[in-house]
Amino acid sequence: MAPYSKLSKEKLKNLKSDLEKQFEEIKKKGLHLDMSRGKPSKAQLDIGIGMMDVLTSESDLVSSDGVDCRNYGVLDGISDARKLLADLSEVPERSVIIYGNSSLNVMFDTMSRAMTHGFMGSTPWGRLDHVKFLCPVPGYDRHFAITEFFGIEMINVPLLETGPDMDMVEELVAKDPLIKGIWCVPKYSNPTGISYSDETVRRFARLKPAAKDFRIFWDNAYSIHHLYDDKRVVVLELLNECIKVGNPDIVIKFISTSKVSFPGSGIAALAASRGNLEDARRYMKYQTIGHDKLNQLRHVRYFKDMLGVYEHMRKHAAILRPKFEKVDEVLTKELGGLGIGTWTKPLGGYFISFDSMEGCAKAIVAKAKEAGLVMTDAGATYPYGKDPKDCNIRIAPSFPTVEELEIASKIFVLSVKLVSIEKLLNA
Amino acid sequence: MAPYSKLSKEKLKNLKSDLEKQFEEIKKKGLHLDMSRGKPSKAQLDIGIGMMDVLTSESDLVSSDGVDCRNYGVLDGISDARKLLADLSEVPERSVIIYGNSSLNVMFDTMSRAMTHGFMGSTPWGRLDHVKFLCPVPGYDRHFAITEFFGIEMINVPLLETGPDMDMVEELVAKDPLIKGIWCVPKYSNPTGISYSDETVRRFARLKPAAKDFRIFWDNAYSIHHLYDDKRVVVLELLNECIKVGNPDIVIKFISTSKVSFPGSGIAALAASRGNLEDARRYMKYQTIGHDKLNQLRHVRYFKDMLGVYEHMRKHAAILRPKFEKVDEVLTKELGGLGIGTWTKPLGGYFISFDSMEGCAKAIVAKAKEAGLVMTDAGATYPYGKDPKDCNIRIAPSFPTVEELEIASKIFVLSVKLVSIEKLLNA
């Protein structure tokens, strides 16, 4: 079909009336569909159900390093769990501390720690009048929410196909000592699905910020969340790159098994240089007597090693792949060539990123809602919820079934079409 | 035997040489004993081993309020867990939020939150030049450590038989708006074992601090940790008292199952007024997507209700009671009437508090260490580790066996005697 922009107003109006009828038909069904959350489906949870059986009252609850996992203690986590999450983080065991059930919590804690105690002896950020953070956009709303919650000013940096615009990052951090950090999702980024190039990682490792306590918050949320076994993306490991160029303290890596084992009951980890880990331990020593080691043991006994984790992730991929493909199929069939939207075809992660015509995203999300489809709020992928062009929409295909996604995608494309026509008619 | 203070120097010297021989004999054994930590013993961990079997891959992992406990979500915790920990806290379910594996972590978080965001709209404490906290002494070293870590000045308040010296508390908080809170362990206090009187609780409820964001940090660590079934101490419930007198927001209660189920893998809770809970939720919303609900479900399915918990606590008491009694027996036999030390006979909790002659505690702990017995550092029960009279020593009888405790107690009394004689000889 011809691009909408080439159609006469007359044709657009006819098309609109046609589409409105279709939309009304769907509305009548009173559907409740949700493509808003990067939440694993029940089928994905069932993959790991065997984890419920690995520890029983008959099990040896002592870890291989001799710790009774039921009792207090062991701030860093049991050795086997450190080893597993170190492998997952592509760093040595000594570079990892295990935390509780969520890496979001570790990121929040790390930000909170910077506010009250700084990093490695720096002035606590909360004692400064003004602190800024770089936010590659579009990005993850919860990163932005944490940053805003602590009163830190956010600066948008465009996320390119190769990662954040490094020319801009380098220039900004070199000249402004108030810029204290940057959020990164280096692989299968939320929401665009892009992965950072080797060159981007190397430039991050060589970054020379004016602020000595500048930190790269490296959220490795989707490091092993490939959709295609034969198209696995490899991102250069940053900590090692930083060490190689004598810049070991600039990065803090975060990882968890939330979307590997169970989202509510995984284990999380922080990986960083020795200096950063000592800094983190100094804090943890007051914060806790140790995280849940039985759950660490449960993970280790269940997965055994990275091969076990990879095998497990293939099962997740088998469930997720048809969902991503279904959404893409509907979008391609219904929007292909119309010039009213583009979208990503990620090789991993949890999201498809959709860009509408300028000024249409909010209206599209509102329209979809009329027909019972909940999307992530338009704007959520930008700091302060403000997408300057009002065009980005995050699509999360993981939770609904393929059948539900087919209907949801149809509602979505109808909404895109109707709002786009409206926009063109009013142009 | 006569009090040491009545003995001649000659007699003391003879006694000393005798005791030194005994001490050398014990030293030769090369023992490694530890009465330093309020840590449950292996036998206590084994009581709850059935908890490892309540959830399997065959279990319904959906809570009674319809939540798949494996997935993301539910900030407040599942309803059944809230109910159980509300009962444990003696408050309604609506007054409780469930957290992760440790109440220490919740207390730390609450302090950190006050530093970065204040309470219910107040100025963040970290933005103030000076903040003070009242610390009943002797008290819990980790409370003091958290307070010091956040740069808050600590003011000692004597802990009487009825609780903190309320005349002093009332006077201090009324006149000084920099005093923002107080640490309390209302039942079977750490380390003295005393419990607050009804009058003390009522005076806390009626407290009128100059600081509007003053909070009582009510650490209910030992609320059901009775040693004697027939001598259970009941402490008046504070939140309800506060509500009755129109002062609902002044208290934040903390509780956990760390010394009920497993110390490393329990569940914790915060109980407070609606205003305080809303405040806490506003923070949690950024901090986490929810705590470990499978562990919540595991606790609920295992204990079922408070009767189940009480039954379970009786088993802990049966293990702990002979340990407390053994220490008391040795101390009474060896130190009774000597006038060189007094100690508490708690009805619950985890500690015996020992007071030596002034200026002897550090030397006693050092002496005991010579013979392989690790005690909590003298001074640890006071802010900044400074016991002004250098006389308080915390004895933790829970972890060693009764046999080990007998030897440990003998080393301890020998150390007390030797250091006391030294002190008297140099007087």
Side-chain angles (χ1 to χ4, degrees):
Chain A
M1 198 172 165
Y4 276 14
S5 60
K6 307 287 187 202
L7 300 183
S8 66
K9 292 220 168 184
E10 192 56 32
K11 274 204 162 166
L12 281 174
K13 278 181 190 165
N14 288 339
L15 191 57
K16 188 183 168 198
S17 119
D18 224 46
L19 292 165
E20 270 168 352
K21 274 176 211 147
Q22 292 177 40
F23 193 80
E24 288 309 312
E25 282 305 308
I26 283 193
K27 250 173 87 168
K28 275 187 206 153
K29 294 186 180 170
L31 299 169
H32 293 282
L33 296 163
D34 194 326
M35 293 204 296
S36 76
R37 299 264 333 264
K39 192 173 166 176
S41 62
K42 187 175 176 308
Q44 286 178 267
L45 302 178
D46 288 342
I47 297 174
I49 195 65
M51 183 170 279
M52 302 309 296
D53 297 327
V54 287
L55 296 188
T56 71
S57 59
E58 303 293 317
S59 305
D60 179 11
L61 299 174
V62 174
S63 66
S64 75
D65 50 342
V67 176
D68 187 329
C69 292
R70 298 170 298 179
N71 220 329
Y72 286 124
V74 193
L75 274 190
D76 281 4
I78 58 173
S79 171
D80 291 340
R82 291 180 74 194
K83 175 81 175 67
L84 185 68
L85 267 71
D87 286 349
L88 202 57
S89 305
E90 303 170 84
V91 299
E93 182 186 331
R94 66 173 181 278
S95 302
V96 160
I97 295 176
I98 306 291
Y99 282 77
N101 76 326
S102 129
S103 58
L104 183 78
N105 202 327
V106 188
M107 290 182 248
F108 181 95
D109 255 22
T110 304
M111 190 69 94
S112 183
R113 172 157 62 90
M115 293 302 290
T116 57
H117 290 83
F119 283 127
M120 295 173 64
S122 77
T123 304
W125 298 358
R127 290 270 164 199
L128 303 172
D129 287 330
H130 198 165
V131 175
K132 304 176 190 172
F133 231 74
L134 301 184
C135 297
V137 289
Y140 180 29
D141 55 351
R142 284 183 177 269
H143 288 164
F144 304 152
I146 289 172
T147 317
E148 186 175 2
F149 186 60
F150 283 105
I152 295 171
E153 183 190 338
M154 294 179 274
I155 300 170
N156 293 1
V157 173
L159 186 69
L160 313 176
E161 280 301 308
T162 52
D165 179 338
M166 291 309 291
D167 291 340
M168 187 173 168
V169 169
E170 284 165 355
E171 193 191 328
L172 285 170
V173 305
K175 73 177 184 197
D176 190 349
L178 300 181
I179 297 177
K180 296 290 192 184
I182 183 168
W183 286 109
C184 292
V185 182
K187 199 190 275 189
Y188 305 138
S189 148
N190 176 352
T192 71
I194 71 103
S195 299
Y196 293 12
S197 69
D198 290 358
E199 179 59 18
T200 297
V201 173
R202 289 202 185 95
R203 287 174 78 174
F204 265 122
R206 285 177 176 77
L207 215 54
K208 293 277 172 274
K212 291 303 162 217
D213 54 351
F214 179 97
R215 291 292 181 276
I216 303 164
F217 279 48
W218 197 255
D219 181 2
N220 224 340
Y222 308 108
S223 63
I224 51 170
H225 303 62
H226 313 284
L227 285 172
Y228 300 91
D229 225 31
D230 55 343
K231 291 181 213 160
R232 295 178 172 208
V233 171
V234 175
V235 171
L236 199 58
E237 198 289 301
L238 177 59
L239 180 58
N240 192 41
E241 288 303 306
C242 292
I243 291 169
K244 281 203 281 187
V245 299
N247 205 9
D249 301 325
I250 200 170
V251 61
I252 300 180
K253 297 177 64 167
F254 305 95
I255 205 156
S256 85
T257 68
S258 290
K259 293 189 181 79
V260 180
S261 56
F262 296 129
S265 306
I267 56 176
L270 180 153
S273 69
R274 193 164 58 181
N276 277 315
L277 291 190
E278 278 168 11
D279 206 38
R281 285 189 191 105
R282 212 170 296 136
Y283 186 87
M284 284 179 82
K285 183 171 85 174
Y286 299 99
Q287 184 185 29
T288 178
I289 309 183
H291 293 290
D292 184 341
K293 294 181 296 298
L294 283 176
N295 205 30
Q296 293 172 22
L297 189 68
R298 191 176 285 120
H299 277 72
V300 165
R301 295 267 172 92
Y302 182 66
F303 288 118
K304 294 186 177 66
D305 54 26
M306 276 306 289
L307 286 180
V309 175
Y310 287 137
E311 197 50 53
H312 190 82
M313 293 313 289
R314 273 194 203 99
K315 297 177 190 162
H316 279 293
I319 295 171
L320 287 168
R321 207 163 41 234
K323 297 188 177 186
F324 277 78
E325 289 175 348
K326 176 54 74 183
V327 174
D328 185 63
E329 176 195 315
V330 175
L331 265 59
T332 304
K333 186 177 162 215
E334 296 289 334
L335 298 180
L338 299 189
I340 57 174
T342 59
W343 60 95
T344 57
K345 296 184 209 308
L347 298 174
Y350 265 68
F351 304 102
I352 293 167
S353 180
F354 182 89
D355 281 326
S356 68
M357 293 167 70
E358 278 196 40
C360 290
K362 274 187 194 303
I364 291 168
V365 170
K367 193 77 198 167
K369 197 170 186 184
E370 281 181 36
L373 169 62
V374 177
M375 305 290 299
T376 308
D377 281 341
T381 53
Y382 281 75
Y384 310 106
K386 285 180 198 159
D387 174 359
K389 294 185 178 166
D390 185 26
C391 69
N392 189 248
I393 298 171
R394 188 181 80 167
I395 300 174
S398 60
F399 197 73
T401 61
V402 174
E403 294 68 33
E404 288 168 335
L405 281 170
E406 177 149 24
I407 308 167
S409 301
K410 281 179 181 165
I411 294 174
F412 180 72
V413 295
L414 267 178
S415 306
V416 172
K417 288 176 179 174
L418 281 165
V419 170
S420 303
I421 291 173
E422 192 69 29
K423 162 102 180 172
L424 290 166
L425 287 174
N426 293 328
Chain B
M1 197 174 164
Y4 276 14
S5 61
K6 306 289 185 204
L7 300 184
S8 67
K9 293 223 167 180
E10 193 55 32
K11 274 205 166 169
L12 282 175
K13 278 180 190 164
N14 289 339
L15 191 55
K16 189 183 167 198
S17 119
D18 225 41
L19 292 165
E20 271 167 351
K21 274 177 213 146
Q22 291 177 39
F23 194 80
E24 289 308 313
E25 283 304 309
I26 285 193
K27 251 174 86 169
K28 275 186 206 151
K29 294 185 181 168
L31 299 169
H32 293 283
L33 296 163
D34 194 326
M35 295 203 296
S36 74
R37 300 266 330 265
K39 191 173 166 176
S41 62
K42 187 178 177 306
Q44 284 178 269
L45 302 179
D46 288 341
I47 297 174
I49 196 66
M51 183 170 280
M52 302 309 296
D53 298 325
V54 286
L55 296 189
T56 71
S57 59
E58 303 294 316
S59 306
D60 179 10
L61 299 173
V62 174
S63 67
S64 75
D65 51 342
V67 176
D68 186 329
C69 292
R70 298 171 296 179
N71 221 329
Y72 285 124
V74 193
L75 274 191
D76 282 2
I78 59 173
S79 172
D80 291 339
R82 290 180 73 194
K83 175 80 174 66
L84 186 68
L85 267 73
D87 286 348
L88 201 58
S89 305
E90 303 170 85
V91 299
E93 182 186 331
R94 65 173 181 278
S95 303
V96 160
I97 294 176
I98 306 291
Y99 282 76
N101 76 325
S102 132
S103 59
L104 182 78
N105 202 329
V106 188
M107 291 182 248
F108 181 95
D109 255 22
T110 304
M111 190 68 94
S112 182
R113 172 158 64 90
M115 293 301 292
T116 55
H117 290 84
F119 283 127
M120 295 172 64
S122 77
T123 304
W125 297 357
R127 288 271 167 202
L128 303 172
D129 287 330
H130 200 166
V131 175
K132 304 176 190 172
F133 232 73
L134 301 184
C135 298
V137 289
Y140 180 29
D141 55 350
R142 283 183 177 269
H143 288 163
F144 304 152
I146 289 172
T147 317
E148 186 176 2
F149 185 60
F150 283 106
I152 295 171
E153 184 190 338
M154 293 179 276
I155 299 170
N156 293 1
V157 172
L159 187 69
L160 313 176
E161 281 301 310
T162 52
D165 179 338
M166 292 308 292
D167 291 341
M168 187 171 168
V169 169
E170 284 165 354
E171 194 191 328
L172 284 170
V173 306
K175 73 177 183 196
D176 190 349
L178 299 182
I179 297 178
K180 296 291 191 184
I182 183 170
W183 286 109
C184 292
V185 182
K187 197 189 278 190
Y188 305 138
S189 149
N190 175 353
T192 72
I194 71 107
S195 298
Y196 293 12
S197 70
D198 290 359
E199 179 59 16
T200 296
V201 172
R202 288 200 186 95
R203 287 173 77 174
F204 265 121
R206 285 175 177 77
L207 216 52
K208 293 278 174 275
K212 292 303 160 218
D213 53 353
F214 179 96
R215 291 292 182 276
I216 303 164
F217 279 48
W218 197 255
D219 180 3
N220 224 339
Y222 309 109
S223 63
I224 51 170
H225 303 61
H226 313 284
L227 285 173
Y228 300 92
D229 225 31
D230 56 341
K231 293 181 211 160
R232 295 179 172 210
V233 171
V234 175
V235 171
L236 200 59
E237 199 289 300
L238 178 58
L239 180 58
N240 191 40
E241 288 303 306
C242 292
I243 291 169
K244 281 202 282 191
V245 299
N247 206 9
D249 301 325
I250 200 170
V251 60
I252 299 181
K253 298 178 62 166
F254 306 95
I255 204 155
S256 85
T257 68
S258 290
K259 292 189 181 78
V260 181
S261 55
F262 297 129
S265 307
I267 56 176
L270 180 154
S273 69
R274 193 165 55 180
N276 277 316
L277 291 189
E278 278 169 10
D279 207 37
R281 285 188 192 106
R282 213 170 296 136
Y283 186 86
M284 284 178 81
K285 182 172 85 172
Y286 298 100
Q287 186 185 28
T288 178
I289 309 181
H291 293 289
D292 184 343
K293 295 181 297 297
L294 283 176
N295 205 30
Q296 294 172 23
L297 189 68
R298 191 175 286 120
H299 277 72
V300 164
R301 296 265 172 93
Y302 182 67
F303 288 117
K304 294 187 178 65
D305 54 26
M306 274 307 288
L307 286 180
V309 175
Y310 287 137
E311 197 48 54
H312 190 80
M313 292 313 289
R314 273 193 203 99
K315 298 177 189 163
H316 279 293
I319 294 171
L320 287 169
R321 205 164 42 235
K323 298 188 177 188
F324 277 78
E325 290 175 349
K326 175 54 74 185
V327 174
D328 185 62
E329 178 194 312
V330 176
L331 265 59
T332 303
K333 185 177 162 215
E334 297 288 335
L335 298 179
L338 299 190
I340 56 172
T342 59
W343 60 94
T344 56
K345 296 186 208 303
L347 298 174
Y350 265 68
F351 303 103
I352 292 168
S353 180
F354 182 88
D355 280 327
S356 68
M357 294 168 68
E358 277 195 40
C360 291
K362 274 186 195 302
I364 291 168
V365 170
K367 192 78 198 167
K369 198 170 183 184
E370 281 180 36
L373 169 61
V374 178
M375 305 289 301
T376 308
D377 282 342
T381 54
Y382 281 76
Y384 310 106
K386 286 181 197 159
D387 174 359
K389 294 185 179 168
D390 185 26
C391 71
N392 188 248
I393 298 171
R394 186 181 81 167
I395 300 174
S398 59
F399 197 72
T401 62
V402 174
E403 294 67 32
E404 289 168 335
L405 281 170
E406 177 149 24
I407 308 168
S409 301
K410 283 180 181 164
I411 295 174
F412 180 71
V413 295
L414 267 178
S415 306
V416 172
K417 286 176 179 177
L418 280 166
V419 171
S420 303
I421 291 175
E422 193 69 30
K423 161 106 182 169
L424 290 165
L425 286 174
N426 293 328

